[in-house]
Every structure is written in structure tokens, then in C-alpha cells.
Amino acid sequence: MVKGKLLAKNRKALFNHSVISRFTAGVVLKGYEVKAIKEGKVDFEGSYIKVIKGEVYLVNLKIGKYSKQSKEVSLQDERRDRKLLLNKNEVADINRQLSEKGRTAIPLALILSNNKIKLEFAVVRGKKEFEKKQVAKERQIRKDMRIEEKEFRRSSFL
């Protein structure tokens, strides 16, 4: 993970998918998009990464309207394809991983690093329903154990 300020996070990504490998890339943006991202007007719903003619694109990421923007933004422009800046070796590695069955690439977070907006994304495999239930069950068990531990400590001091 790249050091920097977290601007937006895809909260459902890690719940719905198992991460195989992570990447970080620069994103080609327009000026008002940068300002809107800094305001937090980003929606990751339905977005993914796709390799088109040897270049990597971020598809279907919604970047809303900047609050002080006078120019109207069309719905197609909000969800336009945005080019990701990667070197040839990374593009080849991503393309190879995506060609395997059952794998896709999804955005995880937008980060401000050295005054540049970077996209952290991952090649993932979708989780089955029982895997999601198992993770939720484990979280609940850990939460219950923490509560019990606090109560035990509290009672031992009395």
C-alpha cells in the first residue's frame, strides 16, 4: 500500500472478493474531477479495471460534481473510462492474471500521495456466499470475545 492520505475507499471490495495481488497506478483526471475526489464525491459501485489494446483503464467509476463547479457534467462524463498510468511490465502482469478464469480487477482506494492522486486496485477472485458468512461469523466471535474480556477485567478490579 502506498503511503498517503486516503481520499476514498471501496468498502465492499474486500468483503465480496479475495485479493490475489495489489497494484498502485496514477490516474488521468480532469481538474474538476481532482477537486470532486478531494471532496469525497466518489462512488465505486460497479467499477472495474480493464485492459484495452495494451493500456489499462478504470471503467465505470463515478466521480460526482465539484461543489463550486459552474459547468454542468453529463452522466456519461461522470462514469467515463479513465486511463491508468502503469509501466509495460505491470500491464503485462495484469493482463496475464486477468486472462485466468474467475479473476477480475477492482479498485480498492483513491490515495493522495505527493500531491498526486493514485488508485490502489487489486486482481481478485469473487467469494462464494458461504465464505462471506464464515468471515462475518469469525468477526462476530472476535467481537464477543473482546466484550467478554472487558467484562472479565472490569469484574476482577472490583
Side-chain angles (χ1 to χ4, degrees), residues 1-3 14 19-27 49-51 56 58 84-100 103-111 117-124:
M1 182 162 172
V2 173
K3 299 277 185 200
L14 297 177
V19 174
I20 295 166
S21 60
R22 289 178 186 246
F23 297 92
T24 304
V27 187
I49 282 79
K50 187 175 185 180
V51 179
V56 182
L58 175 60
L84 299 181
L85 305 172
L86 294 159
N87 65 40
K88 288 181 182 178
N89 293 337
E90 289 173 322
V91 172
D93 188 31
I94 292 165
N95 201 13
R96 181 184 51 77
Q97 289 187 34
L98 291 179
S99 65
E100 294 180 31
R103 292 189 179 182
T104 186
I106 57 166
L108 299 176
L110 286 166
I111 301 163
I117 293 182
K118 306 274 185 182
L119 176 76
E120 185 177 336
F121 65 98
V123 175
V124 296

Side-chain angles (χ1 to χ4, degrees), residues 7 29-42 63-69 117:
L7 298 173
L29 298 168
K30 295 179 179 175
Y32 66 87
E33 290 177 329
V34 173
K35 293 176 181 180
I37 289 171
K38 287 182 179 180
E39 283 185 343
K41 298 190 175 176
V42 180
I63 299 177
K65 186 176 182 262
Y66 174 55
S67 63
K68 296 177 182 153
Q69 184 176 350
I117 293 182

Side-chain angles (χ1 to χ4, degrees), residues 8 29 33 36-37 40-48 58-65 73-82 107 110:
L29 298 168
E33 290 177 329
I37 289 171
K41 298 190 175 176
V42 180
D43 183 15
F44 288 99
E45 188 69 35
S47 61
Y48 60 97
L58 175 60
V59 180
N60 208 25
L61 177 76
K62 181 181 177 189
I63 299 177
K65 186 176 182 262
V73 180
S74 68
L75 290 172
Q76 290 112 357
D77 208 34
E78 280 184 346
R79 292 195 177 270
R80 70 182 178 85
D81 295 354
R82 294 170 180 90
L110 286 166

